[in-house]
Amino acid sequence: MVLGDIGRTIRDSITGTISRAGDVLEGTVDATRLATITALRGSRDVIGGVQEVTADAVKGAIQATSGVGAELGSTTKGAVVGVIRGVGEVAVVTVGTCSDTVRAAIRGSSEVGGDVATVARSAVEGTLETSKSVGLRAEDAAFGVALGALNGTRDVGGDLGATARDTAKGVVAGTAEVGGNVLQAVEDSTRGLVQGAAEVGGDVASVTRNAVEGAVEATGGVTVRMQDAAFSAARGAIHGSREVGGDLGATARDSIDGAVDGASQIGGSVLQVIEDTSRGLVKGTAELGGDVGSVARNAVEESIEAARRVGIRAEDAASAAANGAVSAAGSFGETTTTAVTNSVSGVVGGVSVTLRAPFRGEEKKDS
């Protein structure tokens, strides 16, 4: 079969099958898997055809199920799971395959009027849920699917911030479903989202805020602590920012904003999430040899602004951020601890900061 005919074959197969299927998700998975195997078996460029296969599979599935009131997310997820399972039966599925699948799913859905952020979340979740069955760890694929989601969104002119938020939610749900390391996946996907935003010329600040917000908010549906997700997302944001030459101080501010909004969405402790976000920011910065004092100061200053926005005491928010920063610094030696302590002590932004003692050696064990 000529590679250019693959997409058309899959589209027609799905359209004819799913229109008669009662279970949209399972029906889409089965039809797409079988069509993918048939289309790709014997091809000289199996992996090279994945994007075309996925885009047309998603378009065909949406067209086939729109008349029966199917939910866009379920249809997209089913198509993505089916494609990856099908590819896995004729070739080795790589992280690159997962990234290409997510990117193509967004492209395909946009051509039939699908909401980009919803599709991104469902495609990411479906990809990570399927990763284990094709020999990949979800946390290893998290960075790649994040890049795929942002590239797909840029391909269709979508909102990168909205995609970042929903991608983070899909990462948490998909990784948790297969028993993967959710916190590692959060860190790596946040790093991928920040890096991807810079690569496509997007608004890195918006993507950072939304990625952290989505990761924190998503913990409301899994057995991962909100503050641990905040720590991991903040650390990933710092590493991603450094990789693209970003301003770590600005990254700290955006991460605090996103974490506060995410905690507020699920009724979590804003002060706790501020402390652990600040801890992740300083830890990530110290690991990279960055300016820990500047990052800590920016985290405290933005916590004060965020506190006023959500209606909590600015003094409490500033102290939470400062103590998180000093706690993280404690495991990097006296020089780092002194730099951070000096930057957040006393009065910051017109607000008195209260530091608890001891300041050294109190860094909590990473989850």
Side-chain angles (χ1 to χ4, degrees):
M1 177 182 292
V2 178
L3 192 59
D5 294 335
I6 291 177
R8 189 179 306 108
T9 300
I10 289 182
R11 181 190 59 222
D12 293 344
S13 174
I14 292 175
T15 300
T17 304
I18 301 305
S19 61
R20 299 187 298 271
D23 186 328
V24 172
L25 178 59
E26 288 304 317
T28 305
V29 170
D30 292 341
T32 310
R33 182 183 66 82
L34 292 173
T36 300
I37 293 170
T38 300
L40 295 182
R41 182 169 284 146
S43 170
R44 293 181 179 179
D45 186 16
V46 172
I47 301 304
V50 168
Q51 285 206 37
E52 181 183 358
V53 167
T54 306
D56 275 349
V58 171
K59 283 189 289 185
I62 292 173
Q63 290 171 353
T65 58
S66 60
V68 295
E71 195 267 327
L72 177 64
S74 295
T75 302
T76 301
K77 183 176 178 179
V80 166
V81 170
V83 167
I84 292 176
R85 287 182 182 175
V87 173
E89 294 192 35
V90 297
V92 176
V93 176
T94 66
V95 171
T97 308
C98 295
S99 179
D100 288 347
T101 300
V102 171
R103 181 176 186 174
I106 293 172
R107 286 211 322 266
S109 67
S110 72
E111 295 181 27
V112 289
D115 178 72
V116 172
T118 298
V119 169
R121 177 178 180 175
S122 299
V124 167
E125 184 176 341
T127 299
L128 296 184
E129 281 187 16
T130 315
S131 60
K132 187 174 182 179
S133 68
V134 294
L136 290 175
R137 297 194 314 163
E139 53 268 37
D140 292 338
F143 178 86
V145 298
L147 286 179
L150 280 193
N151 276 290
T153 302
R154 176 43 57 94
D155 290 342
V156 302
D159 183 337
L160 296 178
T163 289
R165 183 176 59 251
D166 278 29
T167 294
K169 293 178 181 179
V171 165
V172 171
T175 306
E177 180 66 25
V178 294
N181 186 331
V182 174
L183 298 179
Q184 186 63 57
V186 165
E187 181 175 332
D188 288 345
S189 62
T190 305
R191 181 169 60 88
L193 289 167
V194 172
Q195 183 174 321
E199 289 178 356
V200 301
D203 185 342
V204 176
S206 173
V207 166
T208 302
R209 285 194 301 273
N210 279 282
V212 176
E213 178 184 343
V216 171
E217 185 180 348
T219 60
V222 297
T223 57
V224 173
R225 296 195 310 169
M226 172 191 68
Q227 59 266 37
D228 293 337
F231 171 87
S232 295
R235 188 179 180 185
I238 286 290
H239 279 260
S241 181
R242 170 52 66 88
E243 287 170 3
V244 298
D247 181 338
L248 299 188
T251 299
R253 288 179 174 272
D254 294 329
S255 297
I256 290 290
D257 270 348
V260 168
D261 288 344
S264 298
Q265 288 290 332
I266 58 175
S269 170
V270 172
L271 294 179
Q272 184 64 64
V273 87
I274 284 175
E275 179 170 341
D276 282 278
T277 302
S278 182
R279 189 168 63 88
L281 291 167
V282 170
K283 184 175 180 65
T285 303
E287 290 168 340
L288 298 170
D291 187 342
V292 289
S294 173
V295 165
R297 182 86 176 191
N298 275 280
V300 173
E301 290 176 347
E302 195 60 33
S303 294
I304 293 170
E305 295 301 317
R308 291 167 176 158
R309 188 176 75 246
V310 299
I312 62 175
R313 292 181 71 244
E315 292 82 1
D316 293 340
S319 297
N323 280 295
V326 175
S327 171
S331 62
F332 289 92
E334 185 174 355
T335 299
T336 300
T337 302
T338 299
V340 171
T341 302
N342 288 344
S343 71
V344 299
S345 297
V347 177
V348 178
V351 174
S352 295
V353 173
T354 302
L355 290 177
R356 61 176 179 255
F359 300 146
R360 295 173 176 79
E362 63 173 35
E363 162 74 346
K364 293 181 283 186
K365 182 179 179 181
D366 296 345
S367 300

